[in-house]
Amino acid sequence: MSKSQPNPQIEEVKNIFSAYLEQKELRKTNERFTILEEIYNRTDHFDAESLYEFLTKKKKYNVSRATVYNTLELLVSCDLIKKHQFGKNQAQYEKSYGYKQHDHIICVDCKKVVEFCDPRIQQIKSMMGDLLNFKITHHSLNMYGVCGSCQLKRELDSKESNT
Ligand SMILES: [Zn+2]
Ligand SMILES: [Zn+2]
């Protein structure tokens, strides 16, 4: 098995986080940097509880739930991660530094989150900004629907209930 390559982006985000903690006069604990690193090693959307489970059960780190939740909030405030509210589900997080701008489509059945990127959204932002004299700083766009495999599942379910 090959040892994982050092990710240069992780060094960058660690420096940003370190500067932020210093500025806020917060302690630079190993746990906080470990959590940051684990987040930047993943590419998905996750909630705080599943991150906590992953760190303690799978990675066997000795971190408290409070540290995980508190570190997530710190990372949101220094813009290293984004917090999303998809429907009524628990808040979901994802890394944001150096990551492409994108929006989300969420399956209402299996809660799967799919990312998409459409340059027309940028056009709408500048057009509506000009028209309504707003300096648009950010946006949030979530679409909800039923994914392909859940559509199939719904069809099968309805056939079964008809027989
Ligand atoms: Zn689905
Ligand atoms: Zn995303």
Side-chain angles (χ1 to χ4, degrees):
M1 271 217 307
S2 64
K3 207 171 174 304
S4 62
Q5 296 284 339
N7 181 342
Q9 195 191 41
I10 288 182
E11 292 313 309
E12 269 173 62
V13 294
K14 277 184 174 172
N15 290 337
I16 295 171
F17 193 35
S18 171
Y20 176 81
L21 292 174
E22 230 164 74
Q23 184 212 329
K24 294 274 168 190
E25 294 178 10
L26 295 165
R27 289 197 314 137
K28 296 191 219 173
T29 60
N30 284 335
E31 288 95 339
R32 284 175 173 162
F33 287 95
T34 302
I35 293 168
L36 174 64
E37 186 161 353
E38 288 298 339
I39 290 172
Y40 269 78
N41 279 331
R42 44 200 298 169
T43 53
D44 56 347
H45 305 84
F46 55 88
D47 61 56
E49 200 53 34
S50 66
L51 178 69
Y52 172 71
E53 296 270 303
F54 172 79
L55 294 170
T56 52
K57 299 235 167 81
K58 202 139 183 222
K59 293 285 183 156
K60 311 275 183 224
Y61 288 125
N62 188 14
V63 289
S64 70
R65 187 179 261 111
T67 302
V68 172
Y69 278 69
N70 160 280
T71 303
L72 282 171
E73 290 311 313
L74 290 175
L75 291 171
V76 170
S77 356
C78 64
D79 282 331
L80 287 175
I81 62 172
K82 270 208 177 92
K83 186 180 190 174
H84 300 289
Q85 194 63 52
F86 297 138
K88 291 194 185 72
N89 301 327
Q90 266 197 60
Q92 305 253 320
Y93 300 86
E94 68 179 333
K95 61 183 177 187
S96 59
Y97 183 77
Y99 201 52
K100 65 180 194 312
Q101 278 281 339
H102 63 270
D103 297 291
H104 300 96
I105 303 187
I106 301 101
C107 177
V108 293
D109 283 5
C110 68
K111 316 292 180 216
K112 176 164 76 187
V113 178
V114 178
E115 296 182 342
F116 71 94
C117 185
D118 190 319
R120 284 173 295 183
I121 290 159
Q122 195 51 50
Q123 293 169 16
I124 294 173
K125 274 162 81 171
S126 53
M127 203 178 82
M128 293 326 276
D130 285 350
L131 196 64
L132 303 171
N133 191 25
F134 263 72
K135 188 181 180 306
I136 309 286
T137 52
H138 57 283
H139 78 279
S140 108
L141 173 63
N142 298 327
M143 298 190 191
Y144 298 87
V146 185
C147 76
S149 49
C150 290
Q151 287 173 43
L152 213 64
K153 206 165 163 281
R154 281 188 176 195
E155 253 172 60
L156 290 173
D157 286 351
S158 72
K159 264 180 205 151
E160 249 168 50
S161 60
N162 285 341
T163 51

